[in-house]
Amino acid sequence: MMHSAFTRSIRLGVKSLLLHKLRSLLTTLGILFGVSSVIAMLAIGEGASEEAQEQIRRLGSQNVILRSVKPLEDKVSGPSYSANAYGLTWQDFERASETFPWVENSIPVKNIVQEVRFEDKVINPRILATTWEYQNVTGRIVHRGRFISQADDDLVSNVCVIGYEVSRLLFPGLESIGQKIKIGPEYFKVVGVILPRVPLSDDLPEVDTSVTSEILIPLTTGRRWFGDMTIKIRSGSREMEQVELNEIVLSARSPSHVSYIAAASREMLARNHKQNDYEIVVPLELLARAEETKRIFNIVLGCIACISLLVGGIGIMNVMLATVTERTREIGIRRALGARRYHIMLQFLVETVVLSVGGGILGILLGVSIPAFVEYFADMRTIVTFSAPILAFGISVSIGLVFGLYPAWQAANLDPVEALRHE
Amino acid sequence: MELIAELRDVSRVYQMGDVTVRALDRISVPFGTGEYWAIMGPSGSGKSTLLNVLGCIDRPTGGSYFVEECNTSDLDDDDLSRLRGASIGFIFQSFNLIPQLSVLENIMVPLLYQDGSASDGLARAEALAERVGLADRILHRPSELSGGQQQRVAIARALINNPKIILADEATGNLDSQTASEILDIFSELNSEGKTILLVTHEESIGEQAQRVLCLKDGKVDLID
């Protein structure tokens, strides 16, 4: 019984809304755009923040990374032939690894700038000379073969581990393990292929290219063949740089120690470096900052959404007030035929809720498809969380209720005699 | 004789700025069950106000109005609405059908507001449509019907809850004489089935059909016959 009365009033509401199709449609648009923009913006924001967080996590949330940075210097006119020494030193490395009590592992990393050749192919990947522990700290996954071993380091072997991308570029369709590639003037044997920390699928090539276009060689080998000097030849000038270490990765015993290591590193480097030739990257802090940014983003988004939905709600209220005036006589007739105030109220509330829910549903459909378009055309990651459409739907129902209440109340409280006299 | 409704010293006073208008001035009328009343009087005599009070859409400012021995002054707005729905059938001069509903839906409107809606509502509405001769028009809109047909729909609508009192306000005022007499025939028929009919009119000829006549003048009872 209750059920049929309910469906009947919804049917009645839909029917009278369909009498003014254009008006109902235009009213719905306010809610439609409000809801769809909420969903779309949430999805895009969620996607962007997820991407940022993943990048940070890839650095290793338990690590503190010290990096060499070329300091800003006063430009000296004319070509300079002296070596420009800066950056982290072996001394820094020893101090950190021997004196910081919370460090589990400390890994030195040197960047080597050399061309890589195989047969007639030439590429310029990122070449890192590091130790076997690098894998544990950064969580690289060995796809095939093996990682650099302690023995490689001890024996100063000419071996290398290449990223997936490198393997694809140099050895398309070939087995890369066992091949010999030329790094600078030296030949290196490929012993393994690595993937980044988060593998997307077993042999899927669409993985993070910044990581997979790396080549790793043992630190001792790197120091022997390539030394600390980098020579860049630019038009008319030779620039020499001397960097002992490009990166020191310090991994903490536990996440709670990360901030101690960061503070100690800051102090240690500030004391020992005259110029500002280093930076300290703390992924955990970046992560916290990314989360804070996301929170602020969500608040801003929430405000925009509230305003647009408020505007939509006011539109609905406006139309409903006009409808009540227009249908005053009908209200009078219904009252004379036995309708109680509550019946009239319900009738108009149902209409507003149907309007706002209709707008809400269309808005959800639009809101879910916008991120798909963005993903396709702008190549941005988007995430439509399950809760976003539900939230949007709830909001549109409440808007219908809140903004329909006053017009419905006004309709219910019309004097039947007056209403019947209304033309 | 058993009374279906009774006005006891009923007054209805309107305050319009500084002027006090006594639309009804201490009127007492007993309406017997099954009687056919014509309520007459010149315009401005208080007929419409009286009809509103009798139909429970307006309340007297003085005196009491009883419907089936129940004092309407004791009822709140909801109870008054229930009373209207259950005991009183309204028929208006301008038909007052709801334009977006079909004939059948119009007839069924009062059912929407009854507690414990009847499952045979549809069958009853169809039977009533048949009775007023509109069985073949039940899916039409009011705008597709002639005045006489619209008034028949209104009569069917007034009867759907099987009320004891039928209130007709100049029900034939907008109709030609031929159609008007058909409608009046329906009223006579309903009266013979035991319905109490209160018909507001200013036409003498219609008043003569009625069994009893109430004439109003300046808000007072001029004549009860």
Side-chain angles (χ1 to χ4, degrees):
Chain A
M1 209 74 87
M2 205 49 222
H3 174 72
S4 76
F6 183 68
T7 50
R8 209 164 42 195
S9 40
I10 287 186
R11 248 202 356 247
L12 198 72
V14 172
K15 207 164 172 176
S16 48
L17 289 174
L18 286 180
L19 274 178
H20 303 281
K21 288 190 190 68
L22 183 65
R23 187 162 79 183
S24 304
L25 186 74
L26 291 176
T27 315
T28 316
L29 285 185
I31 298 291
L32 192 157
F33 288 128
V35 165
S36 60
S37 59
V38 171
I39 295 176
M41 284 199 270
L42 273 179
I44 292 168
E46 192 74 26
S49 115
E50 187 61 33
E51 195 142 316
Q53 289 189 18
E54 204 179 293
Q55 275 169 7
I56 293 165
R57 249 179 256 127
R58 211 172 275 158
L59 293 172
S61 59
Q62 223 153 303
N63 297 345
V64 173
I65 299 163
L66 315 182
R67 277 193 189 136
S68 295
V69 178
K70 190 173 180 182
L72 295 168
E73 54 188 336
D74 303 323
K75 277 280 169 210
V76 189
S77 55
S80 116
Y81 293 98
S82 67
N84 179 11
Y86 67 88
L88 301 167
T89 60
W90 281 101
Q91 218 180 2
D92 293 330
F93 174 72
E94 269 147 33
R95 281 201 194 99
S97 53
E98 276 159 29
T99 58
F100 294 175
W102 319 279
V103 173
E104 173 93 32
N105 271 317
S106 51
I107 291 109
V109 181
K110 269 186 72 65
N111 289 1
I112 289 159
V113 183
Q114 291 292 344
E115 274 180 354
V116 175
R117 291 165 186 276
F118 176 72
E119 291 171 353
D120 55 343
K121 301 188 193 77
V122 183
I123 57 171
N124 284 293
R126 213 157 79 95
I127 305 169
L128 305 179
T130 187
T131 63
W132 62 278
E133 286 161 309
Y134 187 78
Q135 186 193 8
N136 305 340
V137 170
T138 56
R140 299 281 196 277
I141 289 168
V142 176
H143 181 54
R144 287 198 306 278
R146 64 174 178 85
F147 203 76
I148 298 165
S149 69
Q150 196 163 8
D152 293 331
D153 215 22
D154 294 345
L155 297 171
V156 200
S157 327
N158 274 18
V159 294
C160 66
V161 173
I162 61 175
Y164 196 94
E165 195 68 20
V166 175
S167 144
R168 224 168 50 128
L169 287 171
L170 291 183
F171 315 109
L174 295 176
E175 175 54 76
S176 43
I177 310 287
Q179 302 279 9
K180 291 219 162 166
I181 59 171
K182 201 173 171 196
I183 300 178
E186 289 299 316
Y187 283 95
F188 284 75
K189 190 175 140 199
V190 176
V191 293
V193 177
I194 52 165
L195 293 175
R197 176 193 287 262
V198 188
L200 298 179
S201 167
D202 232 17
D203 53 355
L204 194 78
E206 318 296 347
V207 282
D208 185 3
T209 48
S210 73
V211 171
T212 53
S213 63
E214 282 174 348
I215 293 183
L216 306 180
I217 60 174
L219 185 67
T220 48
T221 318
R223 289 185 83 186
R224 168 182 284 181
W225 298 120
F226 306 110
D228 293 339
M229 194 76 78
T230 312
I231 299 168
K232 286 180 188 162
I233 300 171
R234 294 220 184 108
S235 53
S237 79
R238 271 192 323 158
E239 205 173 301
M240 283 181 285
E241 283 180 3
Q242 189 182 343
V243 181
E244 284 185 27
L245 279 174
N246 292 84
E247 210 170 283
I248 299 172
V249 182
L250 303 172
S251 78
R253 283 180 206 283
S254 84
S256 58
H257 292 144
V258 169
S259 57
Y260 299 134
I261 295 180
S265 306
R266 265 180 206 120
E267 208 187 307
M268 187 261 292
L269 292 176
R271 206 174 328 117
N272 294 307
H273 286 248
K274 286 197 199 71
Q275 48 183 357
N276 198 16
D277 56 356
Y278 60 88
E279 67 172 359
I280 299 172
V281 180
V282 187
L284 204 64
E285 286 175 5
L286 292 180
L287 205 63
R289 218 173 302 154
E291 259 150 31
E292 177 65 15
T293 312
K294 185 186 167 191
R295 206 178 62 88
I296 291 168
F297 187 71
N298 279 346
I299 290 172
V300 172
L301 202 79
C303 290
I304 295 172
C306 281
I307 291 168
S308 63
L309 286 169
L310 190 73
V311 171
I314 291 170
I316 285 195
M317 186 153 157
N318 200 357
V319 165
M320 288 317 289
L321 284 173
T323 306
V324 169
T325 312
E326 198 173 78
R327 285 159 63 186
T328 301
R329 195 183 180 87
E330 181 194 323
I331 294 164
I333 298 168
R334 288 182 184 272
R335 291 281 276 144
L337 297 178
R340 281 162 247 159
R341 285 193 173 129
Y342 131 87
H343 289 121
I344 302 295
M345 185 119 183
L346 191 70
Q347 183 186 340
F348 282 91
L349 263 189
V350 164
E351 273 184 39
T352 12
V353 172
V354 166
L355 266 183
S356 65
V357 166
I361 290 173
L362 293 177
I364 287 171
L365 293 181
L366 187 65
V368 170
S369 45
I370 287 174
F373 278 106
V374 169
E375 199 157 310
Y376 185 77
F377 290 110
D379 201 25
M380 268 173 73
R381 185 147 158 221
T382 58
I383 298 172
V384 179
T385 55
F386 186 64
S387 58
I390 291 178
L391 180 81
F393 189 78
I395 289 173
S396 57
V397 174
S398 357
I399 286 210
L401 283 175
V402 169
F403 287 92
L405 217 52
Y406 176 67
W409 180 85
Q410 214 190 29
N413 282 286
L414 286 171
D415 175 15
V417 177
E418 288 294 325
L420 273 172
R421 212 178 286 155
H422 190 270
E423 279 307 320
Chain B
M1 161 162 252
E2 201 187 324
L3 293 183
I4 184 98
E6 188 183 6
L7 296 165
R8 281 189 205 159
D9 269 340
V10 164
S11 298
R12 181 66 173 92
V13 179
Y14 293 101
Q15 196 68 42
M16 295 176 129
D18 294 340
V19 190
T20 306
V21 180
R22 306 189 78 82
L24 296 176
D25 195 1
R26 293 200 304 282
I27 288 182
S28 297
V29 187
F31 298 99
T33 306
E35 288 181 330
Y36 189 163
W37 282 80
I39 298 167
M40 305 184 66
S43 61
S45 60
K47 297 191 302 276
S48 294
T49 308
L50 180 63
L51 195 83
N52 290 340
V53 171
L54 290 172
C56 297
I57 55 175
D58 199 4
R59 287 171 185 274
T61 47
S64 321
Y65 171 47
F66 292 81
V67 178
E68 296 177 296
E69 291 171 353
C70 169
N71 189 344
T72 57
S73 319
D74 299 338
L75 301 179
D76 64 15
D77 192 83
D78 279 0
D79 290 331
L80 221 49
S81 302
R82 283 195 188 88
L83 182 66
R84 282 200 291 275
S87 305
I88 299 167
F90 272 96
I91 296 162
F92 304 91
Q93 178 173 10
S94 50
F95 323 131
N96 276 346
L97 300 176
I98 297 173
Q100 59 266 39
L101 301 183
S102 70
V103 166
L104 197 64
E105 286 167 328
N106 260 295
I107 295 175
M108 290 173 75
V109 166
L111 290 175
L112 293 174
Y113 307 123
Q114 286 307 103
D115 295 325
S117 67
S119 51
D120 63 340
L122 185 65
R124 258 162 53 204
E126 280 168 345
L128 281 169
E130 173 128 32
R131 173 167 181 186
V132 296
L134 291 170
D136 54 342
R137 292 257 153 58
I138 52 174
L139 296 178
H140 287 55
R141 303 279 143 149
S143 56
E144 297 161 341
L145 303 178
S146 70
Q149 287 170 328
Q150 289 191 47
Q151 196 59 296
R152 287 160 190 270
V153 177
I155 291 171
R157 180 177 70 182
L159 293 173
I160 188 81
N161 279 330
N162 200 18
K164 296 204 175 70
I165 306 171
I166 301 285
L167 279 181
D169 183 8
E170 303 275 12
T172 56
N174 283 3
L175 303 174
D176 61 78
S177 56
Q178 167 71 29
T179 320
S181 78
E182 284 170 22
I183 297 294
L184 289 173
D185 287 346
I186 298 177
F187 286 152
S188 304
E189 200 183 309
L190 289 172
N191 181 237
S192 66
E193 288 167 17
K195 302 256 184 246
T196 306
I197 305 215
L198 309 180
L199 186 70
V200 170
T201 183
H202 60 269
E203 285 180 55
E204 297 278 334
S205 59
I206 295 169
E208 281 162 14
Q209 290 201 359
Q211 188 182 348
R212 313 234 17 211
V213 175
L214 167 64
C215 277
L216 292 179
K217 195 176 178 188
D218 298 332
K220 293 193 174 71
V221 175
D222 190 39
L223 170 82
I224 293 188
D225 181 17

